[in-house]
Structures are given as C-alpha cells and as structure tokens.
Amino acid sequence: MPLQDTHALTFSLTVPPDFRFAPCLDYMARSDNESLFEVRDGGVNRLLLLSGEPVLLRITAEEEQTLTVRVLAGAWKGEAARVEAERYIRDWFDLDRDLEPFYRLAMGHGVLGGLAREFNGLRLVGVPDLFEALCWAIVGQQVNLAFAYTLKRRLTETYGDSLEWEGRIYRHFPRPGQLAAAEPEALGALQLTRMKSAAVLDVARRMSGGALSREGLLALGSFRAAEEQLLQIRGVGPWTSQYVRMRCLRDPEAYPVGDVGLHNAVRLLLGLDRKPTLPELQALFADWPGWEAYAAFYLWRALY
DNA sequence: GTCCAGGAAAAGG
DNA sequence: CCTTTTCATGGA
C-alpha cells in the first residue's frame, strides 16, 4: 500500500460556542471494549474510509472554537478526502446544531437542569454510518451493553478493514458488501442469535444492493417515512428504528421510548421505585419539544 | 442458579 | 387490534 507523506497533514474545524470536546470524549470512553475508535491522551483516533481508502485520523481540541484533525496514516486522497472527513466529523459530533435553545429549556428543569450543567457542552454523539448504526442497534437488542460491545468487536474484527499504526490495530466497521455474502452460521459462531444474524445479513444485502441507504431514507422527506421503511426489515422493531432515527438520521424528536436504560435513568432521576409508565414518559418528554433526542441522550448519559 | 439486559416475533385473546 | 409468551445469550 502506498503510504503517502501524510504525517504532517493537519486541518481544523470550527465548532459552535456551546461545544466542549471533553464530555464527548468522556462519553466515548465509557466502554473499554470499544472497537471502532480509541480515546486516548485527550483525543480520539479513528479509522475512516475516505474516497474508499482507510485513513487513520486523530481529533483533538487544542485551540478555542476549534477541532484539530491530524492524518496519522493511510492513503490520503487530498481535497476530496478532507471534505469527506470534515462532513463525517461534523455529523459525528453534531457540530452544526445550536444547543442554546436546549440549555434554555433545561435551565430550571429539575431533572435535566442538573444534567445540562454536569455534562455541559456534550453533543449527541452520532453514528453517521447507517450500516454501523443498524447493526449496532440490532446486536444491542435485549443484551447488556458489555456483550453488545463484544458482538460489535467480533463483527468488526472478522469482516472489517483495518490498519496498523505504531503497534496498534485500528479497525473500521464492515461495509455492507463485506457481510452480505456471509453465512448465518458464520455469524452464529460469533454468538449472534439467529434473529440477529438474519437481521444483520438482511440489512447488509439491502444496503449492498442499493435498496437501503442513509441518503435514500433522508430523501423520503419525513423521519416517519424513513422509520416505516426500516420497520419493513425483519428484526428491526420500534426500538431499533427509533434508535437509528436518533443517532444516525438525527431526527431531533426521536428517542427510544421503550428503552430499558432510559426507563432506569428516569426511575433513578425521579426517585421512582418502579419503571416509569408510558404516559409518565410522554409527559416528561413533552417538556422538550424538538429536543427529545437530546433530552434522552442526556438522561441516558446519567447512567454511565 | 437467578435475574436481567439500550427487543422483536409469534402466539393468544 | 391489543396483550402475553417465547426466543436467545452472556454478564453480574
């Protein structure tokens, strides 16, 4: 592989005034079994596919109102790669959203006010890649997070691209085409259940065939229409579709209302001795019109 | 061994 | 159409 002279290549992104990188890193460092990026020394390293080539980037916040991106390794395709990287990172950290209205709503709110102060500057860290987002949600169904991370790691290590740099291996989540031809038994060997295997393979085939894509979902014109298309997939139910709306499609009103973790967070923060009921949840989220996704993300954050 | 986990499909009414 | 049961697997 021709390793171009990328070691000196650096560029920067402007960030909104209410952005802070530290709480985003804290969130991303919540699992020591994360396989798709590495939070280390005040920054995050991640392998991205830019113009089809694996490129290892490091993101830090060294100056005010700025994220610094260093190209550490890989085949750098110049301006096209920079545009792609910038688009990915702005999406990943939701850099084009003004959180001021959210914080104004949270201020004075008993539960969320405290969280808004504790995690001030935290962005809804997204999963820009639709295949990764769908697979992450599918493997995360009804299993504890620790096991979900293990399943994601196995999929990534078995089917994804990788690049070694300074003695460490950085990995990219498989592309749909890399999984589409896999046998269900092969995924079963990674400890995915039959339903998870079938769902992941169905998504891989739809996406590699072009029948399903993030752009296609967004082009439908409404998040509700996108959700209906997602629900056609066997193994994708309400929780998964809402999760993908929230973290990949970035529907600001989406949140997984049936989520066990969300229920636990609300129970904890409201001091309930039981899970909140659906009407209680709906009443709670009615306080944040247009900011339901952020409210849920901050509530979720309180647990970890 | 038990209970649970960032659910979904199938069965039952 | 709404409610209950089954499936499935590792972590604590």
Side-chain angles (χ1 to χ4, degrees), chain A residues 75-268:
Chain A
W76 180 253
K77 296 290 189 177
E79 177 65 9
R82 195 198 58 76
V83 169
E84 254 184 87
E86 172 161 356
R87 179 164 41 233
Y88 185 95
I89 294 165
R90 299 199 76 84
D91 193 354
W92 189 9
F93 298 114
D94 203 23
L95 294 182
D96 294 312
R97 194 176 308 275
D98 177 11
L99 288 193
E100 198 273 336
F102 174 63
Y103 286 140
R104 189 149 30 80
L105 279 172
M107 200 182 317
H109 189 279
V111 171
L112 216 61
L115 294 176
R117 276 186 293 277
E118 182 177 358
F119 299 112
N120 185 267
L122 172 67
R123 298 270 151 170
L124 202 172
V125 178
V127 184
D129 182 270
L130 177 64
F131 187 51
E132 179 192 325
L134 271 166
C135 290
W136 172 235
I138 289 165
V139 302
Q141 291 167 1
Q142 191 62 16
V143 301
N144 58 69
L145 266 176
F147 184 45
Y149 275 106
T150 295
L151 292 176
K152 182 171 80 164
R153 170 179 292 282
R154 288 176 183 164
L155 284 174
T156 299
E157 290 181 345
T158 307
Y159 296 100
D161 292 318
S162 63
L163 182 154
E164 185 174 352
W165 183 75
E166 291 196 346
R168 297 170 186 271
I169 298 178
Y170 294 88
R171 299 181 185 280
H172 188 276
F173 193 76
R175 286 171 279 111
Q178 292 175 305
L179 261 164
E183 298 294 332
E185 295 74 21
L187 300 190
L190 305 182
Q191 304 306 120
L192 277 78
T193 62
R194 275 193 292 276
M195 199 178 65
K196 288 187 198 299
S197 297
V200 163
L201 288 176
D202 190 10
V203 169
R205 286 162 188 160
R206 288 175 192 246
M207 291 194 68
S208 64
L212 176 66
S213 69
R214 185 175 192 262
E215 312 79 69
L217 290 176
L218 292 173
L220 291 173
S222 77
F223 292 114
R224 179 59 202 162
E227 176 164 332
E228 283 175 13
Q229 185 174 337
L230 291 174
L231 289 172
Q232 302 303 310
I233 303 166
R234 188 178 169 83
V236 173
W239 179 86
T240 301
S241 59
Q242 289 159 0
Y243 186 93
V244 169
R245 277 173 67 165
M246 174 186 175
R247 293 201 64 195
C248 179
L249 304 182
R250 289 206 172 278
D251 175 1
E253 301 180 357
Y255 68 100
V257 66
D259 181 76
V260 174
L262 187 62
H263 295 170
N264 289 338
V266 171
R267 176 172 61 181
L268 177 71

